[in-house]
Amino acid sequence: MLSLLALLAAGICGLGVNGASIAAESPAVVSANDTATLVTDRDSIGPDQSLRVGLRLQLKPGWHTYWINPGDAGDTPTLDVTAQGGATGKTSDIHWPMPVRLSEGGLMSYAYVGDVLLPASLTLKGTGGTTLHAHAEWLVCAEVCIPESGDFSLTLPASSGPAPEGAQAGLFQAADAKMPIPSPFKAHVSAEGVLTLEGRGLSSTAVSEAWFLPEEGGLIDQVAPQPLNVGKDELSLHLKFLKTAHRDAPLKGLVVLKDEAGQESPIQISAEQTVGPTKVEDAAAAPAPTADAVPTGAGWLRVMLFAFVGGLILNLMPCVFPVLAMKALSLAKMGGVGRRVQLQSALFYTLGVTGAFAVLGLLMIGLRLAGSSAGWGFQFQSAGFVVGVCWLLFGMALNLLGVFEISAGRLGQLHPHGAGHAGDMMTGLLAVIVATPCTAPFMGVAIAGALGGPAVMGLLVFLSMGLGLAAPYVLVASVPGLASRMPKPGAWMGVLKQALAFPLLATCVWLLWVATIERGVNFVVVAGGGLVLLGFAAWIYGIGQHRAMREGGRGTVFFCRVVAVLCMVVCGAGLSRSLAEPVSATATSPATSAGNQIQSFSSEKLADLRAKGEPVFVDMTASWCITCMVNERVALDVDSVRKAFSAQHVAYLRGDWTNRDAGISAYLKAHGRDGVPLYVYYPAHGSEVVLPQILTPGLVLGIIGH
């Protein structure tokens, strides 16, 4: 059987290396990490003769630079060359040799080490000598990453005829030996991530190892294992697609095939996605499904169960307390109404909750399909949305305090004499709106599955979550024994209604704080001024209502309503204008403690600390995430945990997702999460540990081994 090397030899350039004497090479740009020069494959240039140029990097031991796809961290080198003189031309298109894979700190990089040449082809027009002017930028990394750049100049004399290869041609030939060739095999990839190559010569004796390097980032989990199956004239690699990956275009990149002699041969593939089951020679060898993989079949039932349980637990989250407190008043009213009214109230509340979850789910799924990295609670990254919810809850609080009244059946009214179906639905809608800053246990897996799978199944997952949130109220309304034990309506309900306004006002204070962090301290003037105007609008609207009830004066009522509407219009206009202005100086990350010596998260900093062998605790949080704030107060920002972090020399990295941050979004996706909180501990030696979403001091101390 033909060896793999023989199979591919026809596509690889010759390996001969010419002897070197004097090379066409520019003056060097030297740093403590490398030496950079511009080189050419010819020492002179003939009329209209093409030329090969290249950026040569002689890297010190331990340092590396990057491929066209740097991987999970790093940056792509650039090279711009302009020829001026008798012959002219331009190029910036680097031809990329095969890189090596460097896996470190849970991240994958595609890199070059040692003596590296990044070649490009330069087409020249004209006769006579030419001077090459080049500018290059590259990143070199070891324990730290340092951006470097250089400007190069190289003059080539004219040759009467085609110039022969120069002394530096051997470098280009060595680079050619590592260049990928067009694949002689047919390639396709399934929706599940099974990349298959088919063609004569593929066998277990010709291919002992293989791996795939994507040409673009954001497609696959680059650090995940790629199990290999090899059969007769066929091999398959099991890749793990990211849930945010665009799969409408062919999958492009390199497949590196390694034979039994250790010879590595890179081939360039462009794999179309197939529909339907993928042929696998040995199905038993396929990788076992992971918890964060896109579910199929019975797996969806598990995800929907997780969603239901997560929604059920969401009732206990502090962000939902204000609205649930209002619903408690509605439960109290059930003690004096018939069973039919109880069931109707529960039904319309459930419709409000599930409808809101359906809209939120469709919005998130649509944004993901459009390429956005929107995750759970993404709308709270908008200061306009935060202030809008704050103003809405403030108006509801004034309504509960009796400043103005809304007749039964309208927005949020919980009047002792009847609430109306629209009020039940609106209460369900508000419960979902204020619930999104919280993430309950089991919700992480459910949301990841919903956003990573088909849109229809994703919508069912969000509906299951809504049913879980509505379930306790439905249970009380549906069980006659529970509803009959509710207290009978009476004068005490008026006092309770007013008392329930204060949890809403407390929520308004929190939302003002979130908006200030997102837009800066000056934004509090807009948000607070809006509260004053809305308070005035509610007050004058209430005056008109009382005047109408006492005297029936239509003119006064109309005037009061017009003034109230004008106040709300001014609020909206002021908010729109403020959002259009640049963000002012913002506050620091929420609940930052000097005692913990908290550092801002970045993937580079994490990789640097991991390379030094230091234990690292990563805290992904947001100021609008109530669960995050509670965890910080009760489990992280406490003396015992702070002292343990200090004693164990644990580096504390906090990622603040209050405003959208692509680096934090990528880290969340890499861990199968679509929202915060996320807590990950990296011991000095060993694999990372993902902590639960609800923390206790004992849990944190146990994880870090104190």
Side-chain angles (χ1 to χ4, degrees):
M1 179 177 294
L2 292 175
S3 69
L4 179 62
L5 183 59
L7 178 70
L8 301 177
I12 302 179
C13 295
L15 302 180
V17 178
N18 292 344
S21 55
I22 300 175
E25 187 170 15
S26 71
V29 174
V30 181
S31 73
N33 318 306
D34 59 10
T35 299
T37 55
L38 182 73
V39 297
T40 64
D41 68 337
R42 302 178 192 277
D43 300 332
S44 59
I45 187 69
D48 295 330
Q49 185 170 18
S50 295
L51 183 70
R52 300 187 71 188
V53 299
L55 175 65
R56 184 183 184 186
L57 300 175
Q58 299 176 71
L59 300 163
K60 298 276 182 77
W63 293 85
H64 61 267
T65 191
Y66 294 94
W67 186 49
I68 183 174
N69 172 15
D72 295 317
D75 198 11
T76 305
T78 61
L79 174 65
D80 295 296
V81 183
T82 301
Q84 296 177 338
T88 60
K90 288 185 178 181
T91 186
S92 58
D93 187 12
I94 295 176
H95 302 160
W96 300 95
M98 176 183 65
V100 297
R101 297 182 299 170
L102 301 178
S103 179
E104 191 172 36
L107 301 174
M108 176 66 75
S109 296
Y110 305 124
Y112 301 110
V113 296
D115 195 342
V116 182
L117 180 68
L118 301 179
S121 296
L122 177 60
T123 301
L124 297 175
K125 297 295 183 181
T127 302
T130 187
T131 298
L132 305 181
H133 299 281
H135 177 77
E137 296 182 359
W138 64 97
L139 182 70
V140 291
C141 295
E143 293 183 354
V144 295
C145 288
I146 301 173
E148 296 187 347
S149 63
D151 291 297
F152 308 92
S153 180
L154 179 62
T155 299
L156 299 177
S159 172
S160 58
E165 289 187 337
Q168 204 67 290
L171 286 176
F172 289 88
Q173 293 170 356
D176 287 342
K178 297 180 181 179
M179 287 292 176
I181 67 167
S183 175
F185 311 116
K186 181 181 178 181
H188 55 85
V189 62
S190 72
E192 293 76 24
V194 180
L195 174 62
T196 302
L197 302 183
E198 298 175 341
R200 293 185 59 185
L202 292 173
S203 67
S204 57
T205 57
V207 181
S208 60
E209 295 180 47
W211 55 90
F212 174 70
L213 289 71
E215 191 173 291
E216 297 180 5
L219 296 176
I220 66 170
D221 184 345
Q222 298 174 128
V223 79
Q226 299 180 4
L228 170 68
N229 294 313
V230 184
K232 181 176 175 54
D233 297 332
E234 179 184 271
L235 69 78
S236 61
L237 288 168
H238 298 263
L239 310 178
K240 182 180 178 183
F241 275 120
L242 295 178
K243 298 173 180 62
T244 55
H246 289 283
R247 307 189 198 177
D248 51 346
L251 179 66
K252 297 182 178 180
L254 306 185
V255 174
V256 182
L257 306 176
K258 186 175 182 180
D259 61 20
E260 293 178 334
Q263 176 70 36
E264 296 178 359
S265 301
I267 59 175
Q268 187 80 42
I269 65 111
S270 178
E272 297 285 348
Q273 182 168 314
T274 58
V275 180
T278 302
K279 178 183 175 182
V280 178
E281 191 73 18
D282 184 4
T290 57
D292 59 349
V294 177
T296 56
W300 280 111
L301 296 177
R302 173 174 166 270
V303 172
M304 284 190 284
L305 177 61
F306 279 177
F308 181 84
V309 174
L312 194 64
I313 299 176
L314 204 57
N315 286 281
L316 305 177
M317 296 290 104
C319 48
V320 195
F321 283 170
V323 174
L324 292 186
M326 295 172 59
K327 209 57 195 166
L329 181 61
S330 182
L331 285 173
K333 293 190 305 179
M334 283 189 176
V337 299
R339 178 169 171 77
R340 181 171 176 271
V341 175
Q342 296 168 1
L343 292 176
Q344 287 179 344
S345 176
L347 172 63
F348 282 95
Y349 174 70
T350 302
L351 287 176
V353 170
T354 54
F357 264 105
V359 171
L360 182 61
L362 289 173
L363 183 59
M364 290 180 65
I365 293 170
L367 289 173
R368 283 301 182 89
L369 292 175
S372 172
S373 58
W376 179 253
F378 73 96
Q379 65 271 36
F380 274 82
Q381 293 174 332
S382 166
F385 180 85
V386 171
V387 172
V389 174
C390 175
W391 288 351
L392 176 61
L393 295 182
F394 181 69
M396 293 172 60
L398 295 180
N399 177 229
L400 292 174
L401 289 171
V403 176
F404 69 102
E405 298 291 339
I406 300 179
S407 60
R410 294 186 181 177
L411 176 62
Q413 173 65 10
L414 294 175
H415 194 276
H417 303 296
H421 299 326
D424 290 316
M425 292 183 66
M426 187 57 63
T427 306
L429 170 63
L430 286 171
V432 176
I433 290 176
V434 298
T436 49
C438 284
T439 303
F442 300 99
M443 281 179 58
V445 173
I447 295 173
L451 298 179
V456 174
M457 298 307 300
L459 182 59
L460 291 177
V461 171
F462 277 96
L463 290 175
S464 299
M465 207 177 305
L467 291 174
L469 180 61
Y473 188 80
V474 174
L475 179 64
V476 172
S478 302
V479 179
L482 292 176
S484 62
R485 289 185 173 86
M486 293 294 170
K488 301 299 180 183
W492 63 273
M493 293 186 65
V495 177
L496 176 61
K497 186 181 78 166
Q498 293 178 348
L500 292 178
F502 294 96
L504 297 182
L505 293 174
T507 305
C508 292
V509 174
W510 163 61
L511 291 172
L512 280 176
W513 175 66
V514 172
T516 302
I517 288 178
E518 291 180 340
R519 295 289 302 181
V521 293
N522 294 336
F523 194 66
V524 73
V525 177
V526 176
L531 291 176
V532 174
L533 276 176
L534 290 175
F536 178 75
W539 172 73
I540 198 168
Y541 186 84
I543 287 179
Q545 285 184 321
H546 291 114
R547 185 73 175 269
M549 286 187 291
R550 291 195 307 267
E551 304 173 8
R554 286 189 174 183
T556 302
V557 173
F558 179 76
F559 173 77
C560 291
R561 289 179 176 176
V562 169
V563 172
V565 170
L566 286 176
C567 288
M568 290 187 287
V569 170
V570 171
C571 285
L575 179 59
S576 299
R577 181 175 179 179
S578 180
L579 291 174
E581 296 176 353
V583 180
S584 61
T586 56
T588 57
S589 297
T592 299
S593 168
N596 271 0
Q597 296 182 338
I598 298 174
Q599 306 175 58
S600 296
F601 170 85
S602 71
S603 57
E604 293 81 8
K605 187 174 295 181
L606 174 60
D608 182 33
L609 292 169
R610 292 286 290 151
K612 294 178 181 177
E614 296 185 22
V616 184
F617 184 85
V618 175
D619 172 9
M620 291 300 178
T621 183
S623 59
W624 40 260
C625 172
I626 290 292
T627 308
C628 306
M629 300 296 101
V630 172
N631 284 335
E632 287 163 14
R633 293 292 187 272
V634 305
L636 296 175
D637 195 17
V638 296
D639 288 340
S640 59
V641 174
R642 287 199 300 266
K643 291 177 181 178
F645 274 44
S646 178
Q648 300 287 340
H649 304 288
V650 177
Y652 193 134
L653 299 184
R654 173 169 288 166
D656 185 3
W657 209 43
T658 302
N659 294 303
R660 183 165 298 184
D661 185 293
I664 295 176
S665 298
Y667 185 85
L668 292 172
K669 301 303 175 296
H671 288 80
R673 294 290 179 85
D674 290 280
V676 289
L678 172 64
Y679 307 102
V680 183
Y681 176 64
Y682 297 86
H685 304 286
S687 302
E688 65 181 42
V689 179
V690 179
L691 282 69
Q693 293 164 307
I694 305 299
L695 300 181
T696 64
L699 175 64
V700 177
L701 294 175
I703 290 293
I704 68 173
H706 186 75

